[in-house]
Amino acid sequence: MAFWGWSRTPERMAARCLQGGWILCTVCRSPSTDHVPIQDLEVAELRKLKGTHGLDKNGSEDIDILPSGLAFISSGLKYPGMPNFAPNEPGQIFLIDLNEPNPRVQALNISDGFDKASFNPHGISTFIDEDHTVYLYVVNHPHMKSTVEKFKFEEKQRSLVHLKTIKHELLKSLNDIVVLGPEQFYATRDHYFTNFFLVLLEIIMDLRWTYVVFYSPGEVKVAAKGFSSANGITVSLDKKYIYAADVTAQNIHVLKKHENWDLTQVKVIHLGTLVDNLTVDPDTGDIWAGCHPNGMKLLIYNPEDPPGSEVLRIRNVLSEKPKISTEYGNNGSVIQGSSVAAVYHGKLLIVLRRVIDGTASLDGAIQRHHWSGSCRKEKTHSNKAIEGNSLRGLLTQE
């Protein structure tokens, strides 16, 4: 599902919502905004984007926006231990042109010769070559394995041409990817074990065996390690720093990139919520993070008590005290599982795992920054931030 929205006076509104997809809205920004309770967020008017049929169950995972305003979105991820509402539907890559007054969602055709039936896309990243050719790299989990697929984007045909499949011993349990060269990328490994029950043990014991891996045709190596569960990854505007999310530790690691592609830790920013995917504001360099305020509700889905959504913005990333603000929040009454958020020319695009069925009040969906003060601890019970840095924190939550 996708909606296009813009700020209005704070009135109560309602919208007909379906499962899965995206929310797109314009947000008012204020440098003084701090963490706020989700129930205090006000509304913006939302309009359903065109062409969202087929997304009613698949949901979405990641987004990458080109400088031109074309946005790629991965959809249909099937992930062990997570609820899935369309287990027999293959994954897809969708395209949105954010320059259009009424943006339309369009599924991209994939060239013959690629196994579309087992396509299970996770994190994505684009690279623009010197000749302006656009390449899309996709973390794929065919038959629950991990590969990286390289596609060439044909803009006129609105299609993807599959070029190659990348496999390696270190490219296991992959989550997200950031491409920095024609054949160079960093990727995150979110679990050391591949067996689901061993993964649970890994989380409970907080082994911190996951890592960021660097890949090139001539060298593949672990570039940074010691993560509880390495998740979203992106790069600073000047390409000097890598930002990597550690979802269960609720942190963002700021890593300095060296000429040999090694990464060294500069700092860790604690957010107090489960951090999923990250993007960087192309105008300001701020980090935008899609977050999950209650991880147990993601693992054990209950439509009567659904998982909420949260989007955080981190300003002045390299300063001693980065500014962290809540830019969006919903307790699950409308939007469930915000996996990533990205901005383009003042518009905020939120990719989410689910939007509920039925007519739901949007009161509390979009904030308009009229409050101040740090209020994270005052969140409602249904959106309580997870305490601790492992599954034990989830299991012991009231």
Side-chain angles (χ1 to χ4, degrees):
M1 173 62 69
F3 293 90
W4 178 264
W6 57 94
S7 300
R8 292 289 193 187
T9 54
E11 302 171 348
R12 295 185 61 87
M13 301 180 186
R16 184 72 180 175
C17 299
L18 298 175
Q19 301 170 352
W22 319 297
I23 296 292
L24 185 57
C25 59
T26 301
V27 295
C28 300
R29 301 178 178 179
S30 169
S32 63
T33 302
D34 210 328
H35 283 316
V36 296
I38 286 181
Q39 68 269 25
D40 284 351
L41 305 186
E42 290 189 357
V43 301
E45 184 175 346
L46 303 175
R47 279 191 288 128
K48 179 182 176 182
L49 291 182
K50 297 179 179 179
T52 57
H53 61 280
L55 293 173
D56 55 341
K57 294 181 180 180
N58 281 348
S60 306
E61 170 61 24
D62 201 8
I63 181 171
D64 201 319
I65 304 177
L66 297 176
S68 65
L70 293 179
F72 297 92
I73 299 179
S74 61
S75 175
L77 173 66
K78 298 161 189 64
Y79 191 83
M82 298 292 290
N84 187 275
F85 302 99
N88 298 319
E89 295 291 330
Q92 292 179 286
I93 301 296
F94 288 85
L95 188 74
I96 302 176
D97 188 346
L98 299 179
N99 298 298
E100 295 179 355
N102 296 294
R104 183 182 185 87
V105 180
Q106 179 180 2
L108 293 178
N109 292 321
I110 300 178
S111 60
D112 294 336
F114 177 72
D115 185 2
K116 304 172 191 176
S118 67
F119 191 36
N120 189 12
H122 204 159
I124 61 176
S125 181
T126 57
F127 178 76
I128 304 175
D129 215 338
E130 294 180 354
D131 62 359
H132 306 295
T133 301
V134 175
Y135 297 96
L136 178 69
Y137 286 72
V138 181
V139 172
N140 186 25
H141 301 293
H143 312 292
M144 295 304 169
K145 305 295 183 180
S146 285
T147 63
V148 174
E149 310 294 345
K150 181 180 179 180
F151 298 93
K152 179 182 177 182
F153 174 54
E154 297 287 355
E155 184 172 352
K156 291 183 179 180
Q157 291 79 13
R158 289 294 198 264
S159 65
L160 295 172
V161 177
H162 184 250
L163 300 179
K164 66 188 298 187
T165 296
I166 300 172
K167 301 179 181 179
H168 192 272
E169 183 68 20
L170 291 177
L171 299 177
K172 291 184 177 180
S173 299
L174 295 184
N175 188 297
D176 199 12
I177 184 173
V178 59
V179 183
L180 299 183
E183 293 283 339
Q184 294 82 28
F185 60 79
Y186 291 103
T188 53
R189 179 171 184 169
D190 58 13
H191 294 104
Y192 182 81
F193 296 108
T194 55
N195 178 277
F196 177 68
F197 295 102
L198 291 178
V199 168
L200 292 179
L201 180 64
E202 175 186 345
I203 296 174
I204 292 172
M205 296 184 65
D206 196 21
L207 296 179
R208 297 180 180 267
W209 286 355
T210 71
Y211 50 73
V212 175
V213 62
F214 167 73
Y215 174 88
S216 71
E219 181 182 27
V220 185
K221 62 182 179 181
V222 174
K225 56 185 178 180
F227 295 82
S228 294
S229 182
N231 200 290
I233 189 168
T234 189
V235 63
S236 62
L237 292 182
D238 60 10
K239 312 298 182 185
K240 295 181 179 179
Y241 299 93
I242 295 295
Y243 306 137
D246 191 336
V247 58
T248 52
Q250 307 175 12
N251 295 328
I252 294 177
H253 290 245
V254 179
L255 307 163
K256 183 176 178 58
K257 183 173 70 70
H258 300 280
E259 291 186 3
N260 64 354
W261 299 94
D262 284 345
L263 300 173
T264 56
Q265 185 168 286
V266 175
K267 65 192 305 181
V268 177
I269 303 173
H270 186 68
L271 299 183
T273 186
L274 298 178
V275 193
D276 202 331
N277 291 306
L278 309 174
T279 63
V280 169
D281 190 321
D283 297 321
T284 66
D286 299 340
I287 299 175
W288 289 74
C291 303
H292 308 288
N294 192 308
M296 183 55 77
K297 293 181 181 180
L298 283 174
L299 296 175
I300 304 175
Y301 183 78
N302 179 1
E304 301 300 321
D305 188 19
S309 295
E310 187 174 28
V311 172
L312 301 186
R313 180 185 182 190
I314 301 93
R315 304 177 182 87
N316 306 320
V317 176
L318 298 176
S319 67
E320 289 189 10
K321 294 183 179 181
K323 181 73 172 178
I324 304 171
S325 59
T326 302
E327 302 292 325
Y328 176 92
N330 178 259
N331 64 4
S333 62
V334 176
I335 299 171
Q336 303 172 11
S338 49
S339 61
V340 67
V343 292
Y344 179 76
H345 289 180
K347 294 181 177 63
L348 173 61
L349 180 61
I350 304 174
V351 171
L352 49 139
R353 300 186 187 280
R354 200 168 190 234
V355 181
I356 66 170
D357 283 321
T359 302
S361 171
L362 294 182
D363 186 36
I366 309 293
Q367 83 167 24
R368 300 190 61 225
H369 306 307
H370 70 291
W371 54 81
S372 62
S374 180
C375 305
R376 175 167 294 281
K377 294 183 180 179
E378 298 177 18
K379 283 185 178 181
T380 60
H381 172 73
S382 62
N383 282 275
K384 180 181 176 183
I386 305 303
E387 301 293 338
N389 62 359
S390 71
L391 187 61
R392 288 171 293 184
L394 304 178
L395 296 176
T396 57
Q397 185 173 324
E398 294 180 359

